[in-house]
Amino acid sequence: MAAARDRFVKDRGLTRRMVLTMFLLGLLYVVFVSVLISLGVRAVVVLLIAGGILLVQFFASDRIALFAMHGRVVEPREAPALHALVDRLCALADMPKPRVAIADSDVPNAFATGRNQRTSVVCVTTGLMRRLDEPELEGVLAHEMSHVAHRDVAVMTIASFLGVVAGLMTRVALYSGLGGRARDDRGGPPVGLIILLVSVVVYAVSFLLIRALSRYRELAADRAGALLTGRPSTLASALTKISGDMARIPTRDLREAEPFNAFFFAPAVSGRTAMAALLATHPPLERRLEQLARISADLGRGV
């Protein structure tokens, strides 16, 4: 069946990066499993366990995310204004309507999840709805719906999970007796130590690849959402408000939301250091605002 076409601006750079990231991660894990097998680890057992967990996460990612964020799907009668905004954006984008959810959290944020357009969910927090006016909220929703249209939500779900496979395989190999020999036949370093070092390298490379993709996909969503609504300034205003208010959120609430930063509209952090910028899930606020300013100028000139 042919995929539904929508009117969100396509981003070939994002598509190339998603394909390249998945290829490199796949290659990385082929090498990783080959090393483990050569060391005597019965990797098939671990891969079966990891594969089962991956299937659960992939097919239930929407329910897992909503449960973790204390969100629930709401009907039009429960949130008529929110549904009206989503309906309008769906009409503009000519795409199926995702389910609409609200998370009871003061952290001002939004996220989209689901493996495809048919199973997608767009969720906003109560804190976001209190802080933004209607045009700003529409800009945030357009940003999140573009993630669904670009299909990068499913890619991030798979890519993020692959990062934990190395850790899982290490634990099983070291603590369940799957590591085989304590040392190699030539009296070299312990097999467990080799597995640990290889796992650390695999996890580090995976982490950096996923972070790089995550930063680019946020810029792509900003651009697509701004062009769909034709009002980049409202999205910029929403970004500025949310980023400014994030510093006022209690640290405990930020830490609770932090594991979902890669899927959020804005990262749940109160500050950023030079090292944190390298590991960040989102591009700097200044870069996002500069892009939106350029889009606004182009639209003003009729480009």
Side-chain angles (χ1 to χ4, degrees):
M1 182 179 295
R5 296 183 177 274
D6 56 70
R7 294 173 185 161
F8 277 104
V9 173
K10 305 302 178 185
D11 193 308
R12 293 181 180 176
L14 176 62
T15 301
R16 288 195 297 268
R17 283 168 171 81
M18 289 193 294
V19 172
L20 179 61
T21 298
M22 293 305 296
F23 172 77
L24 291 177
L25 285 173
L27 180 62
L28 185 65
Y29 281 89
V30 167
V31 173
F32 180 49
V33 172
S34 299
V35 171
L36 292 182
I37 292 175
S38 70
L39 292 173
V41 176
R42 293 190 291 275
V44 173
V45 176
V46 186
L47 284 176
L48 287 175
I49 297 173
I53 298 174
L54 174 59
L55 289 175
V56 171
Q57 179 171 351
F58 183 68
F59 288 102
S61 60
D62 51 342
R63 293 186 290 275
I64 293 172
L66 287 177
F67 176 79
M69 283 301 298
H70 313 294
R72 66 182 185 90
V73 174
V74 294
E75 299 299 327
R77 66 178 182 278
E78 299 175 87
L82 182 61
H83 270 272
L85 289 176
V86 175
D87 286 336
R88 178 176 182 274
L89 290 171
C90 288
L92 284 174
D94 191 21
M95 67 181 288
K97 183 180 179 179
R99 287 173 292 162
V100 179
I102 296 177
D104 186 14
S105 171
D106 192 47
V107 178
N109 236 314
F111 64 91
T113 185
R115 64 185 184 275
N116 53 42
Q117 291 189 3
R118 185 171 51 84
T119 62
S120 63
V121 181
V122 174
C123 181
V124 298
T125 65
T126 52
L128 184 77
M129 296 175 68
R130 283 197 299 269
R131 288 171 171 87
L132 301 186
D133 60 27
E134 186 174 293
E136 291 167 342
L137 183 57
E138 182 182 59
V140 173
L141 289 170
H143 169 105
E144 294 303 327
M145 290 170 63
S146 76
H147 282 313
V148 176
H150 289 159
R151 297 176 177 81
D152 58 64
V153 175
V155 172
M156 284 296 294
T157 297
I158 297 173
S160 297
F161 176 80
L162 290 176
V164 307
V165 174
L168 176 63
M169 297 185 79
T170 300
R171 293 190 194 96
V172 175
L174 294 180
Y175 300 116
S176 300
L178 295 178
R181 301 157 291 164
R183 295 175 179 272
D184 66 24
D185 296 334
R186 297 181 297 279
V191 171
L193 178 60
I194 298 175
I195 294 174
L196 179 61
L197 292 176
V198 173
S199 298
V200 168
V201 172
V202 169
Y203 179 82
V205 175
S206 301
F207 185 89
L208 294 176
L209 284 172
I210 293 167
R211 288 300 186 270
L213 174 61
S214 179
R215 288 192 291 270
Y216 186 89
R217 84 181 192 114
E218 293 303 327
L219 290 173
D222 282 347
R223 178 172 179 266
L227 290 175
L228 180 70
T229 63
R231 294 186 290 183
S233 60
T234 60
L235 184 55
S237 176
L239 271 170
T240 303
K241 277 188 182 180
I242 293 171
S243 299
D245 283 352
M246 207 64 80
R248 303 184 182 93
I249 302 297
T251 303
R252 183 186 64 180
D253 294 342
L254 291 178
R255 286 177 178 170
E256 182 180 347
E258 189 175 1
F260 301 94
N261 271 347
F263 296 92
F264 278 150
F265 171 70
V269 294
S270 57
R272 178 172 292 184
T273 63
M275 178 58 69
L278 176 64
L279 307 178
T281 57
H282 291 62
L285 174 64
E286 295 75 15
R287 185 176 180 188
R288 297 177 75 176
L289 294 178
E290 287 172 2
Q291 176 181 249
L292 291 171
R294 289 196 301 270
I295 294 173
S296 183
D298 289 343
L299 291 176
R301 293 194 299 267
V303 177

